């Protein structure tokens, strides 16, 4: 038996939630096949089978919270020969032979003495009974209930028996889609549904609350005339796409301008540690990305050294990894400042929450044509409200306001980015 | 608060919940501060609860043995008497060994004992005001509230700890009371009542409920009631205390049994009608800390309160007021803080009454099982049928099991008898593993031991006890 355990999940992450089993007990697997997906507060981890074999037992269920190094499943390498080519998942006829009726009581399965006695008399193997005692020990009540359930559903058991002829097909159809989070009323007519928070949601909740509690949160607003950036982007986007294969979006302009403004106001890029302030002489720019599983904030390393095109490429790549649930720990740690864009969903103005322990977050919003007064005339301009939430403990109001004004000036006249 | 020092965990309260949480947190590599305002660590349990009461229970049991039972063993003793001062001194020295022991464990694990009264401030700052008036502040990443409980007071019998006693005063009475009235026939009342009865006091237990030890299994209560009365304790159940008056060294307590009024004349009164959470230094309203109906802190299975990174354990969170419950909760809180997977499960929480004989329980009482509507079986075995118990001349009591009729799952076990507190432990382990009565019944038990009563009672569930 080869134990398959929860792999290291990265710095400071000790637990994960079992999001779904891709293989089930008795399935033949090839080395490298993903057998289970684990979800942490930050990333999704796929656990592969280390070698070919048959999954002899699964130790945890979907939704269980597991720790690093905890046993997930056991792989029977010896059974691979018996399972034959079904390990490659190509043939139904080569399935492992089914049980022959009489079972020998398993001695190495964890079970209580009375459970083994009852199982032996009932002619079943305790290894096939789900244990509910501490540490998954199979108890006598478990065996009695197992036998009672089997007696209750003789019909469905027969149906299962007939499907046994095609285990490979069955295993594929068993790969159930992720549960949908649609807010539809439940099928049994209940008006409320109680659902356990996933590990990730719990951590998101904790982090947000900690940010609210641990910092002196304050937000300052401004608005940016987007005419100049619009014009520059219109002018350049085709050429950039052709020459660099990169789609030019607005975000890299904001990242560039923010990096330059941070240079002028280093405290906005700093962090508090006990009674010290740590100034970072680099910008790892966090970009908040909405994914199916919740908000994640990967960051672009050394964004201050990168040009608009390189930023474009990096942002595109990291956003894709986030949406695909393929972010690495490196993507998620070490950010020094964050930009969040509520505008993609249509938000006109909002107050972002600081990505603690950072001290500043820039909120972008929807660009909207608005009448504004300019040189005594009412003109229509593409305007965007921007918000800077900052930790007032170390960032003074003046610095915050001037920082945001600096971002505004750089974007309203992008040429100044060349000169600065 | 410029000088607030930071710590991974600050624990408010150094009782069995708090100090165990501190040790576990330190073992897990967290910088740990434990705030305790008393002169010694250990809280109620070690200073004025479990430990000193057990010391006196043991001493007085020896005295009672010498006086009443030595002769039947052929041990002749003449002029047996006792020295209360020596008993008290021994008790204090046992307490001292325990509190010193905790101090040693703190040093060994590099836990800082912040001496003084802890106050939790918003933002998880804990101010500790020392006896010298100096205040130290700690910025805590995590706080564990372990402030414990205090005895409930009767409005007309306020504790003075001279004549009107709580558990604290009842451990330091300077003389043997002539007549001690114990109001409340629960664990504390029966234990401390037993101590003074053995030393010669007349003890009257007044209990409002129809029985002593309310809530326990009815068979156990019946047996306990019979044994305690035989020992000379007067028990008045279904009796209400309607008023009290102090007259010099006398306390006159008015009682009412089914409309029949009476006044009891005593020189000491022990009020043991329950305990309530004590949130000293925790301004729940100002902090926004969620409390339950009885003023207990509401926590989840990870011992988290509704406040971020604030945990609570022990008597302060209600439930059964037991030191070992507090300890387990402390371990869970520390492990959750360190990022481990830990959950509190009360299914296998034992409780013990250290009278003679002892009473120990795990799981549900028969009436509780009946209320769930499930089919069940009962197995019982008396100590009088156990060889070892006979050799020890301690044959009162029995072991009782309740198990599910279909699956044989252990639902409850109740032991009244010699060493019940230690005998229950194998059942606790079995319940933890969702064991059945058969598991215990088919497991070898050494002969001759008292533990055979447990095996035989388990076999009794299956209708196959050997020795009865």
């Amino acid at each position: 038996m080869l134990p398959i355990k929860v792999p290291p999940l990265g710095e400071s992450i000790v637990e994960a939630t079992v999001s779904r089993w891709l293989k089930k007990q008795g399935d033949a697997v090839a080395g490298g096949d993903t057998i289970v997906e684990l979800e942490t507060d930050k990333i999704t981890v796929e656990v592969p089978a280390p070698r070919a074999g048959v999954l002899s037992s699964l130790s945890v269920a979907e939704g269980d919270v597991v720790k690093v190094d905890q046993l997930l499943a056991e792989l029977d390498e010896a059974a691979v020969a018996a399972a034959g080519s079904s390990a490659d998942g190509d043939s139904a006829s080569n399935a492992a032979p089914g049980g022959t009726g009489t079972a020998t009581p398993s001695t190495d399965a964890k079970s209580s003495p009375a459970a083994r006695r009852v199982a032996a008399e009932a002619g079943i193997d305790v290894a096939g009974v789900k244990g509910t005692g501490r540490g998954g020990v199979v108890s006598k009540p478990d065996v009695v209930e197992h036998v009672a359930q089997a007696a209750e559903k003789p019909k469905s058991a027969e149906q299962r028996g007939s499907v046994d002829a095609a285990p490979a097909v069955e295993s594929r159809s068993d790969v159930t889609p992720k549960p949908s989070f649609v807010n539809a009323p439940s099928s049994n007519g209940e008006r409320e549904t109680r659902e356990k928070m996933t590990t990730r949601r719990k951590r998101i909740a904790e982090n947000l609350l900690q940010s609210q509690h641990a910092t002196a949160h304050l937000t300052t607003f401004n608005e940016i005339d987007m005419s100049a950036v619009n014009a520059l982007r219109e002018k350049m986007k085709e050429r950039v796409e052709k020459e660099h294969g990169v789609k030019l979006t607005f975000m890299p302009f904001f990242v560039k301008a923010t990096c330059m403004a941070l240079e002028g106001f280093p405290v906005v890029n700093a962090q508090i540690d006990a009674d010290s302030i740590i100034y970072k002489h680099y910008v790892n720019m966090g970009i908040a990305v909405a994914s199916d599983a919740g908000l994640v904030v990967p960051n672009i390393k050394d964004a201050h050294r990168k040009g608009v095109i390189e930023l474009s490429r990096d942002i595109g790549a990291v956003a894709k990894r986030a949406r695909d649930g393929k972010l690495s720990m490196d993507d998620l740690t070490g950010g020094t400042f964050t930009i969040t864009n509520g505008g993609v969903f249509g938000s006109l103005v909002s107050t972002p929450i600081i990505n603690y322990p950072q001290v500043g977050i820039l909120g972008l919003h929807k660009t909207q044509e608005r009448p504004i007064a300019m040189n005594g005339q009412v003109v229509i301009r593409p305007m965007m409200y921007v918000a800077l939430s900052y930790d007032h403990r170390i960032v003074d109001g003046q610095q915050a306001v001037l920082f945001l004004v600096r971002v505004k000036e750089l974007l309203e006249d992008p040429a100044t980015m060349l000169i600065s | 608060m410029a000088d607030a020092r930071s710590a991974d965990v600050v624990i408010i309260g150094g009782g069995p919940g708090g100090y165990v949480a501190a040790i576990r947190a330190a073992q897990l590599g967290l910088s740990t501060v434990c705030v305790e305002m008393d002169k010694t660590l250990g809280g109620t349990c070690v200073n004025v609860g479990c430990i000193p009461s057990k010391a006196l229970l043991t001493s007085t049991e020896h005295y009672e043995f010498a006086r009443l039972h030595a002769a039947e063993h052929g041990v002749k003793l003449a002029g047996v008497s006792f020295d209360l001062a020596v008993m008290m001194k021994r008790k204090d020295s046992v307490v001292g060994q325990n509190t010193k022991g905790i101090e040693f464990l703190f040093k060994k694990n590099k836990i800082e004992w912040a001496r003084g009264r802890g106050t939790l401030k918003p933002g998880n700052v804990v101010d500790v005001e020392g006896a010298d008036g100096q205040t130290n502040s700690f910025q805590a990443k995590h706080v564990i509230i372990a402030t414990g409980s205090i005895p409930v007071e009767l409005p007309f019998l306020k504790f003075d700890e001279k004549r009107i006693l709580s558990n604290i005063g009842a451990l330091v009475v300077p003389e043997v009371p002539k007549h001690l009235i114990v109001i409340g026939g629960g664990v504390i009342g029966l234990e401390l009542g037993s101590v003074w009865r053995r030393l010669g006091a007349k003890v009257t237990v007044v209990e409002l409920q129809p029985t002593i030890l309310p809530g326990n299994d009815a068979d156990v209560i019946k047996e306990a009631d019979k044994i305690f009365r035989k020992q000379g304790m007067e028990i008045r159940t279904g009796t209400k205390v309607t008023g009290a008056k102090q007259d010099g060294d006398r306390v006159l307590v008015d009682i009412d049994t089914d409309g029949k009024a009476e006044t009891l004349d005593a020189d000491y009164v022990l009020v043991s009608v329950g305990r309530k959470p004590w949130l000293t230094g925790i301004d729940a309203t100002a902090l926004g800390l969620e409390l339950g109906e009885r003023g207990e802190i509401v926590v989840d299975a990870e011992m988290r309160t509704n406040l971020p990174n604030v945990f609570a354990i022990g008597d302060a969170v209600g439930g059964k007021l037991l030191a070992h419950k507090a300890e387990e909760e402390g371990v869970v809180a520390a492990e959750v803080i360190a990022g481990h997977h830990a959950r509190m499960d009360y299914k296998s929480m034992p409780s013990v009454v250290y009278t003679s004989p002892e009473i120990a329980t795990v799981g549900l009482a028969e009436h509780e099982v009946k209320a769930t509507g499930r089919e069940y079986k009962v197995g019982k075995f008396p100590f009088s049928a156990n060889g070892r118990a006979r050799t020890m001349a301690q044959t009162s009591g029995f072991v009782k099991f309740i198990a599910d009729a279909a699956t044989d799952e252990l639902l409850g076990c109740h032991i009244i008898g010699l060493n019940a507190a230690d005998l229950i432990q194998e059942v606790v382990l079995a319940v933890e593993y969702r064991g059945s009565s058969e598991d215990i019944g088919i497991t070898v038990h050494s002969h001759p031991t008292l533990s055979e009563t447990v095996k035989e009672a388990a076999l009794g569930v299956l209708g196959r006890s050997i020795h009865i």
Side-chain angles (χ1 to χ4, degrees):
Chain A
M1 289 296 161
L2 190 65
I4 300 174
K5 294 181 174 180
V6 178
L9 300 167
E11 186 191 2
S12 79
I13 300 184
V14 294
E15 62 178 36
T17 306
V18 178
S19 52
R20 67 175 173 145
W21 280 102
L22 299 170
K23 303 284 179 188
K24 59 186 177 51
Q25 189 171 334
D27 275 2
V29 295
D33 280 1
T34 300
I35 56 167
V36 61
E37 278 180 8
L38 308 177
E39 182 193 37
T40 72
D41 53 334
K42 289 179 176 157
I43 48 173
T44 301
V45 178
E46 296 176 345
V47 181
R51 276 178 222 137
V54 170
L55 284 179
S56 55
S57 69
L58 309 187
S59 307
V60 294
E62 288 181 8
D64 281 2
V65 175
V66 293
K67 290 182 293 183
V68 171
D69 222 28
Q70 188 176 330
L71 186 69
L72 291 166
E74 284 188 310
L75 189 70
D76 188 351
E77 295 167 90
V80 73
S85 58
S86 69
D88 308 319
D90 63 350
S91 164
S93 58
N94 281 326
T100 51
T102 51
T104 30
S106 173
T107 46
D108 53 354
K110 290 186 286 182
S111 54
S112 90
R116 287 196 292 275
R117 203 268 304 156
V118 175
E121 281 187 7
I124 57 169
D125 187 348
V126 286
V129 180
K130 185 173 162 45
T132 60
R134 187 174 187 140
V137 168
V138 178
S139 66
K140 178 177 171 185
D142 292 333
V143 179
V144 174
E145 283 163 3
H146 181 88
V147 171
Q149 272 163 19
E152 248 173 49
K153 301 179 197 161
K155 219 171 178 186
S156 61
E158 272 168 38
Q159 280 164 356
R160 275 192 89 77
S162 66
V163 182
D164 270 354
V169 176
E170 191 195 20
S171 77
R172 277 192 199 138
S173 63
D174 256 29
V175 178
T176 47
K178 277 192 177 171
S180 90
F181 293 100
V182 179
N183 261 336
S186 72
S187 52
N188 56 9
E190 278 172 17
R191 282 155 59 84
E192 296 179 353
T193 311
R194 180 177 283 260
E195 189 181 88
K196 252 291 190 241
M197 278 200 240
T198 59
T199 305
R200 183 198 302 239
R201 175 49 61 187
K202 252 166 66 186
R203 291 293 177 261
I204 290 174
E206 273 172 18
N207 292 343
L208 290 176
L209 205 57
Q210 187 181 23
S211 174
Q212 288 280 38
H213 281 280
T215 64
H217 239 102
L218 205 62
T219 306
T220 177
F221 300 96
N222 215 313
E223 59 178 350
I224 297 176
D225 180 348
M226 295 291 287
S227 310
V229 175
N230 276 356
L232 180 59
R233 178 173 167 265
E234 278 305 316
K235 195 170 140 195
M236 301 299 295
K237 73 175 180 191
E238 269 180 42
R239 226 176 93 192
V240 168
E241 184 149 13
K242 204 182 276 174
E243 288 179 16
H244 301 276
V246 176
K247 235 176 113 185
L248 193 59
T249 63
F250 288 101
M251 187 55 96
F253 292 100
F254 280 95
V255 173
K256 188 76 215 164
T258 304
C259 286
M260 296 179 85
L262 286 172
E263 248 174 78
F265 300 90
V267 73
V268 186
N269 193 45
Q271 208 171 297
I272 299 182
D273 183 37
D275 56 356
S276 312
I277 300 174
I278 304 170
Y279 293 95
K280 318 255 174 166
H281 307 304
Y282 57 89
V283 180
N284 289 345
M285 182 62 73
I287 313 266
V289 181
S291 73
D292 289 344
L295 184 79
V296 284
V297 189
N299 62 77
I300 311 293
K301 295 282 178 313
D302 288 333
H304 64 297
R305 284 209 211 122
K306 292 177 180 170
V308 167
I309 287 166
E310 199 179 350
L311 286 171
S312 249
R313 188 177 289 131
D314 285 3
I315 294 167
V318 88
K320 184 171 186 320
R321 287 204 294 279
R323 281 192 301 271
D324 296 347
K326 297 245 159 87
L327 288 170
S328 69
M329 280 310 298
D330 190 48
D331 285 330
L332 291 158
T333 50
T336 61
F337 186 88
T338 297
I339 299 182
T340 178
N341 186 3
V344 294
F345 307 112
S347 168
L348 200 55
V349 66
S350 58
T351 59
I353 292 185
I354 297 167
N355 188 9
Y356 185 82
Q358 295 169 19
V359 298
I361 181 166
L362 178 66
L364 309 183
H365 300 92
K366 188 183 170 186
T367 302
Q368 205 177 38
E369 290 201 332
R370 271 201 297 272
I372 57 158
M374 195 177 260
N375 304 325
Q377 297 284 317
V378 175
V379 293
I380 292 176
R381 291 285 178 142
M383 302 300 293
M384 178 197 280
Y385 290 117
V386 286
L388 174 77
S389 290
Y390 58 100
D391 189 344
H392 208 351
R393 289 181 301 167
I394 57 166
V395 182
D396 292 332
Q398 186 194 10
Q399 292 165 316
V401 172
L402 289 177
F403 167 81
L404 195 55
V405 167
R406 183 86 185 115
V407 171
K408 169 192 164 79
E409 285 170 355
L410 288 166
L411 286 161
E412 288 188 342
D413 189 1
T416 53
M417 291 202 224
L418 275 179
I419 311 299
S420 316
Chain B
M1 288 318 136
D3 59 342
R5 286 160 51 204
S6 65
D8 291 334
V9 189
V10 175
I11 298 158
I12 307 177
Y19 87 71
V20 169
I23 292 171
R24 186 69 188 120
Q27 283 176 343
L28 292 164
L30 301 168
S31 63
T32 306
V33 175
C34 184
V35 184
E36 173 57 58
M37 61 186 177
D38 275 355
K39 285 189 214 70
T40 50
L41 293 165
T44 297
C45 168
V46 176
N47 291 283
V48 289
C50 335
I51 296 298
S53 65
K54 259 87 273 177
L56 289 182
L57 278 161
T58 306
S59 298
T60 56
E61 215 175 313
H62 288 322
Y63 171 63
E64 185 149 284
F65 175 80
R67 207 166 55 88
L68 300 178
H69 305 296
E72 68 179 284
H73 291 273
V75 178
K76 286 190 170 182
L77 297 167
V80 175
S81 64
F82 65 90
D83 185 336
L84 185 60
V86 173
M87 281 185 186
M88 290 293 176
K89 219 173 124 190
R90 193 193 82 92
K91 173 203 72 180
D92 293 341
S93 125
V94 171
V95 168
Q97 288 162 26
N98 277 272
T99 57
K100 285 277 171 319
I102 302 167
E103 276 184 55
F104 163 78
L105 291 171
F106 270 28
K107 282 195 195 100
K108 182 185 154 198
N109 289 285
K110 302 192 171 47
I111 297 160
E112 177 174 347
W113 172 9
R115 291 166 193 254
R117 179 183 289 266
T119 305
L120 179 59
K121 296 281 177 67
N124 294 351
V125 171
V126 178
D127 284 354
V128 181
E129 193 193 336
D132 55 1
Q134 291 273 57
T135 296
N136 285 312
S137 287
F138 295 90
Q139 175 65 57
K141 288 206 184 108
H142 304 272
V143 174
I144 302 177
I145 301 172
T147 46
S149 63
I150 44 169
V152 172
E153 205 165 41
L154 292 175
F156 46 82
L157 273 172
K158 300 251 185 226
F159 296 122
D160 62 11
E161 303 296 6
K162 292 192 172 67
R163 296 284 158 182
I164 319 293
L165 314 170
S166 71
N167 58 300
I168 300 171
L171 291 166
V172 291
V173 184
E175 57 176 349
V176 176
K178 286 181 208 59
H179 183 196
L180 171 68
I181 296 176
V182 175
I183 302 176
V187 180
I188 296 171
L190 292 172
E191 288 184 3
L192 293 173
S194 293
V195 165
W196 294 109
R197 180 198 58 72
R198 290 169 193 164
L199 296 179
K202 178 187 177 192
V203 174
T204 306
V205 176
V206 181
E207 170 58 56
L208 179 64
Q209 300 294 318
T211 68
I212 54 167
L213 296 168
N216 273 271
D217 191 90
D219 285 348
V220 169
I221 292 173
K222 211 173 128 197
E223 182 82 359
D225 188 273
K226 192 178 82 189
I227 295 171
F228 297 153
R229 281 180 200 270
K230 207 173 145 198
Q231 289 171 348
M233 202 177 255
E234 191 175 332
I235 296 173
R236 304 281 194 102
T237 51
T239 300
K240 195 174 171 166
V241 176
T242 53
K245 191 163 74 216
Q246 219 177 321
D247 176 16
D249 289 349
R250 293 165 66 208
V251 189
L252 301 168
V253 177
D254 301 325
I255 57 170
D256 183 303
T257 315
D258 294 332
K260 228 176 70 201
E262 200 180 327
T263 299
L264 300 177
D265 187 345
D267 50 351
Y268 291 91
V269 177
L270 164 60
V271 180
S272 51
V273 293
R275 296 178 69 84
K276 60 182 180 190
W278 189 38
L279 305 185
T280 180
I282 313 294
D283 187 340
T285 317
L287 293 163
L289 179 65
E290 195 191 337
L291 300 184
E293 275 173 17
R294 293 171 185 169
E296 78 281 11
I297 300 171
V298 176
V299 289
D300 63 13
E302 291 184 314
M303 309 317 295
R304 293 174 192 270
T305 68
N306 66 315
L307 301 179
N309 296 332
V310 178
F311 295 69
I313 58 168
D315 290 359
V317 303
K320 284 187 179 175
L321 307 187
L322 298 165
H324 50 264
K325 167 188 158 282
E327 290 180 20
E328 284 311 306
E329 290 174 340
V331 168
V332 167
E335 293 186 348
V336 168
I337 287 169
H340 291 261
H341 175 83
R343 298 281 182 284
M344 202 56 209
D345 181 5
Y346 298 97
K347 186 183 75 172
S348 56
M349 185 64 64
S351 47
V352 177
V353 189
Y354 291 88
T355 44
S356 177
E358 292 174 344
I359 300 165
T361 290
V362 66
L364 302 175
E366 188 171 346
H367 68 268
E368 290 171 319
V369 176
K370 204 175 261 171
T372 65
R374 69 202 285 182
E375 300 278 313
Y376 65 91
K377 287 183 182 166
V378 171
K380 248 171 110 173
F381 191 85
F383 280 77
S384 57
N386 174 270
R388 181 75 175 129
R390 283 195 212 112
T391 65
M392 299 167 94
Q394 301 250 25
T395 52
S396 61
F398 57 81
V399 178
K400 172 178 176 178
F401 273 104
I402 305 157
D404 187 277
T407 66
D408 195 28
E409 178 175 1
L410 291 174
L411 303 175
C413 177
H414 309 276
I415 307 178
I416 176 167
L418 182 64
N419 294 356
D422 297 298
L423 292 176
I424 198 81
Q425 210 50 49
E426 69 166 307
V427 187
V428 174
L429 188 64
V431 171
E432 189 69 35
Y433 284 89
R434 207 185 166 204
S436 57
S437 70
E438 186 181 352
D439 284 312
I440 292 176
I442 65 177
T443 300
V444 179
H445 287 62
S446 302
H447 177 76
T449 59
L450 296 173
S451 72
E452 288 170 288
T453 58
V454 177
K455 175 187 166 112
E456 290 274 16
L459 287 172
V461 174
L462 309 166
R464 44 184 273 212
S465 299
I466 301 290
H467 291 94
I468 199 164

